[in-house]
């Protein structure tokens, strides 16, 4: 029977994904996808070029890779959207992880900067490197300007229903052309707002991919992409309960993509 699915999709390969997010995910036995910027994890980035957060090292990424609940996907080598950078990031990531054929087949577009005409022009090349799906950010099915305004207002007022209305277009029930969409989880977003979105996904049997970056200790938020530990754990507890009640299931981005392909 068709049901709702939720995915955590972490970008870059920040060390807090390993030191803070990973233990919480293990505690609640929740899957997640980690999209790795290979050059960042290799230590090639100057501090502040991508983020002020330190990167994981490859040993940490390898540990995540061998956890069967988790998925490792690409996020470019230099955090770019060119075929060359995507290919370099995936190729070197596979080398470091000694990954078998077909083990890394997702790519999260940095800044959702992948141009669709460029994507279609180079889709076969990406496929040749094993890329099956591309994760972008938001989509709008109608009233884009109105929903963009509501999205901004919802950050200030924190009304759960406003948040749900602003982001519900991003939830999916089918997939086309290998593209999946994600809802950015910013530091200002409350757990109640996230719950409202998940309730909508459950009611309408949608797939919801949540894009995160850093999970930080409470009171240590540095920018919009830091999400506090207590809020993240509270939300994970909620998802765990919903999953135990069989109202929805938490899966990786790859699993969500495969499930979406089966829907008509």
């Amino acid at each position: 029977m068709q049901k709702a699915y939720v995915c955590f999709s972490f970008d870059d390969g920040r060390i807090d994904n390993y030191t803070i997010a990973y233990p919480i995910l293990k505690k609640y036995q929740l899957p997640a996808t980690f999209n790795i910027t290979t050059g960042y994890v290799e230590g090639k980035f100057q501090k502040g070029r991508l983020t002020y957060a330190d990167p994981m090292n490859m040993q940490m990424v390898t540990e995540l890779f061998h956890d069967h609940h988790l998925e490792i996907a690409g996020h470019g080598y230099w955090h770019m959207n060119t075929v060359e950078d995507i290919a370099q990031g995936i190729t070197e990531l596979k080398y470091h992880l000694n990954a078998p054929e077909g083990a890394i087949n997702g790519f999260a577009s940095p800044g959702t900067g992948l141009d669709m005409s460029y994507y279609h022009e180079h889709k076969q090349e990406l496929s040749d490197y094993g890329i099956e799906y591309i994760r972008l950010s938001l989509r709008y099915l109608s009233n884009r300007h109105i929903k963009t305004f509501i999205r901004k207002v919802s950050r200030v007022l924190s009304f759960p229903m406003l948040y749900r209305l602003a982001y519900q277009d991003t939830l999916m029930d089918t997939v086309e052309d290998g593209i999946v969409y994600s809802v950015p989880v910013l530091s200002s977003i409350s757990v109640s707002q996230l719950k409202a979105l998940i309730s909508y996904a459950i009611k309408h049997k949608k797939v919801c991919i949540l894009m995160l970056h850093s999970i930080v200790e409470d009171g240590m938020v540095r920018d919009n992409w830091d999400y506090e530990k207590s809020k993240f754990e509270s939300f994970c507890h909620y998802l765990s309960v919903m999953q135990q009640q069989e109202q929805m299931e938490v899966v990786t981005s790859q699993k969500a993509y495969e499930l979406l392909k089966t829907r008509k």
Side-chain angles (χ1 to χ4, degrees):
M1 184 177 67
Q2 189 166 294
K3 61 181 176 181
Y5 295 92
V6 178
C7 317
F8 287 121
S9 183
F10 290 89
D11 284 356
D12 301 332
R14 305 179 182 201
I15 194 168
D16 54 74
N17 291 180
Y18 178 83
T19 59
I20 300 178
Y22 183 38
I24 294 172
L25 292 168
K26 285 200 293 185
K27 176 179 178 180
Y28 294 100
Q29 299 182 337
L30 298 178
T33 297
F34 295 89
N35 309 297
I36 304 299
T37 303
T38 313
Y40 171 57
V41 170
E42 287 181 350
K44 302 289 180 64
F45 281 61
Q46 290 184 338
K47 190 80 167 180
R49 181 185 170 202
L50 176 61
T51 168
Y52 287 104
D54 290 324
M56 285 189 264
N57 59 43
M58 201 55 71
Q59 183 177 350
M60 295 172 183
V61 178
T62 301
E63 183 179 341
L64 299 181
F65 177 68
H66 288 293
D67 186 323
H68 70 277
H69 288 102
L70 308 178
E71 175 194 7
I72 298 297
H75 200 45
Y77 188 88
W78 293 110
H79 201 251
M80 298 168 64
N81 286 283
T82 64
V83 169
E84 294 78 12
D85 195 69
I86 296 169
Q88 183 182 4
I90 291 287
T91 301
E92 298 204 21
L93 189 56
K94 287 180 176 179
Y95 170 77
H96 284 298
L97 300 177
N98 193 25
E101 191 69 27
I104 300 174
N105 45 30
F107 171 71
S109 171
T112 307
L114 185 65
D115 179 78
M116 284 296 95
S117 60
Y118 181 86
Y119 167 65
H120 289 120
E121 181 183 350
H122 297 280
K123 187 176 179 181
Q124 185 56 54
E125 293 175 66
L126 294 172
S127 179
D128 292 343
Y129 284 103
I131 302 297
E132 295 183 6
Y133 75 88
I134 304 285
R135 194 217 71 198
L136 302 180
S137 185
L138 304 174
R139 70 170 176 175
Y140 298 93
L141 299 177
S142 64
N143 303 314
R144 179 186 181 97
H145 296 298
I146 294 173
K147 288 177 180 175
T148 298
F149 175 74
I150 294 173
R151 180 161 54 89
K152 293 177 180 178
V153 171
S154 72
R155 294 183 196 171
V156 178
L157 299 181
S158 297
F159 292 161
M161 290 304 103
L162 272 182
Y163 182 79
R164 188 212 73 192
L165 181 61
Y167 288 100
Q168 66 189 37
D169 281 359
T170 304
L171 308 189
M172 300 164 286
D173 48 25
T174 59
V175 65
E176 294 182 5
D177 212 18
I179 301 295
V180 296
Y181 298 92
S182 59
V183 175
V185 179
L186 303 180
S187 58
S188 60
I189 302 306
S190 69
V191 175
S192 295
Q193 287 174 300
L194 292 176
K195 286 181 178 180
L197 190 64
I198 300 308
S199 293
Y200 180 88
I202 290 172
K203 180 178 180 180
H204 297 278
K205 297 179 173 58
K206 301 276 190 177
V207 172
C208 175
I209 298 180
L210 299 170
M211 178 209 302
L212 299 104
H213 289 72
S214 281
I215 304 299
V216 299
E217 297 292 345
D218 290 7
M220 300 299 290
V221 171
R222 299 156 295 189
D223 60 33
N224 282 336
W225 295 113
D226 288 346
Y227 202 69
E228 289 183 304
K229 176 182 178 180
S230 63
K231 293 199 295 184
F232 181 67
E233 179 154 13
S234 174
F235 184 57
C236 285
H237 177 262
Y238 162 77
L239 291 180
S240 177
V241 171
M242 292 295 101
Q243 186 164 254
Q244 290 170 14
Q245 294 175 357
E246 299 185 347
Q247 297 199 45
M248 45 69 67
E249 184 178 348
V250 181
V251 297
T252 63
S253 299
Q254 169 64 21
K255 181 65 174 177
Y257 168 70
E258 292 172 354
L259 290 163
L260 285 166
K261 286 197 301 181
T262 68
R263 296 187 178 186
K264 303 297 182 183

